[in-house]
Amino acid sequence: GNSVTQMEGPVTLSEEAFLTINCTYTATGYPSLFWYVQYPGEGLQLLLKATKADDKGSNKGFEATYRKETTSFHLEKGSVQVSDSAVYFCALSEAGGTSYGKLTFGQGTILTVHP
Amino acid sequence: NAGVTQTPKFRILKIGQSMTLQCTQDMNHNYMYWYRQDPGMGLKLIYYSVGAGITDKGEVPNGYNVSRSTTEDFPLRLELAAPSQTSVYFCASSPPATGTSGKEQYFGPGTRLTVT
């Protein structure tokens, strides 16, 4: 079956530091890959996505590149802000067949950014 | 555009009580999902639906039931609440995948349920 593994958290950084959150996956087909963000007390919001190998998703200064050869989709940001403090989830979805858009999530990584 | 709405936001149940968590989306999405999120954990799929009248079990369906009589609504029913069902419940919707690209899901704000 499909699975997503994220780096263990929590991650604590100072403002303007560089962020990397690792994500690797296993899938039987050719999945689409997503990063979702969850701010305290809220639901999940899509941060960025990539639908095929070598695609780069980007949004709000965050980036992630779909690497089929290493089955990875690592999240990066060059300079984090206090407002980036949240839980980040890596997820995959396979198109077609009986997948019906179901998402497989990683366990989430808590990010705390200090001023 | 309201997106996905859920009610109630919070609820405390006694063991053995029943309740229905409501979920409505106004995006005309065919696919809808219910997840639970336990503290410090990722999301686990409870049930999903691919259209009105069609539902199927996810990863953790025991203790729950669903129905889908309209495209917009996808209520989740807890018949005999147990402490193990204390969790945050999220409803989500998405359009069908096209070609080889999976589509993102849109999430509601969640319902925080405590069973004591």
Side-chain angles (χ1 to χ4, degrees):
Chain A
N2 298 336
S3 67
V4 176
T5 303
Q6 289 181 233
M7 67 183 285
E8 293 283 334
V11 174
T12 303
L13 295 173
S14 298
E15 208 165 25
E16 298 183 3
F18 184 85
L19 169 71
T20 299
I21 301 177
N22 290 340
C23 171
T24 57
Y25 68 91
T26 58
T28 53
Y30 300 95
S32 294
L33 301 173
F34 306 88
W35 277 101
Y36 281 85
V37 59
Q38 184 180 29
Y39 298 105
E42 297 184 10
L44 277 71
Q45 304 173 24
L46 179 68
L47 181 60
L48 53 84
K49 68 176 183 180
T51 58
K52 61 182 187 297
D54 300 324
D55 268 2
K56 177 186 282 189
S58 61
N59 186 26
K60 298 180 182 179
F62 291 89
E63 292 183 340
T65 301
Y66 189 146
R67 300 286 187 202
K68 189 168 182 289
E69 63 277 11
T70 55
T71 62
S72 65
F73 193 54
H74 305 320
L75 182 68
E76 296 182 336
K77 187 175 186 182
S79 176
V80 294
Q81 306 300 312
V82 172
S83 58
D84 294 326
S85 298
V87 183
Y88 292 81
F89 292 95
C90 185
L92 69 82
S93 173
E94 292 202 75
T98 58
S99 61
Y100 300 122
K102 288 177 283 185
L103 286 171
T104 300
F105 285 94
Q107 72 270 34
T109 301
I110 299 172
L111 171 65
T112 302
V113 181
H114 292 299
Chain B
N1 192 343
V4 180
T5 57
Q6 292 183 239
T7 56
K9 283 187 168 44
F10 304 94
R11 185 72 185 267
I12 298 175
L13 282 182
K14 294 191 187 304
I15 294 170
Q17 287 186 320
S18 302
M19 77 163 294
T20 299
L21 282 66
Q22 301 292 345
C23 174
T24 301
Q25 54 94 6
D26 62 1
M27 297 173 282
N28 202 33
H29 287 165
N30 289 345
Y31 295 171
M32 294 187 74
Y33 313 85
W34 274 105
Y35 296 92
R36 59 177 288 169
Q37 183 182 32
D38 298 328
M41 306 289 286
L43 279 74
K44 294 185 178 179
L45 182 65
I46 304 172
Y47 270 95
Y48 68 99
S49 169
V50 301
I54 307 170
T55 63
D56 206 350
K57 297 177 181 178
E59 185 183 356
V60 290
N62 291 344
Y64 307 94
N65 276 300
V66 294
S67 60
R68 184 99 181 268
S69 56
T70 67
T71 299
E72 295 78 17
D73 300 310
F74 190 41
L76 178 72
R77 178 85 178 159
L78 284 70
E79 289 294 348
L80 291 170
S84 61
Q85 294 177 304
T86 294
S87 190
V88 181
Y89 292 84
F90 290 101
C91 179
S93 72
S94 75
T98 54
T100 57
S101 297
K103 296 292 188 183
E104 65 264 33
Q105 293 182 13
Y106 297 78
F107 284 80
T111 294
R112 187 175 297 274
L113 176 67
T114 301
V115 182
T116 62

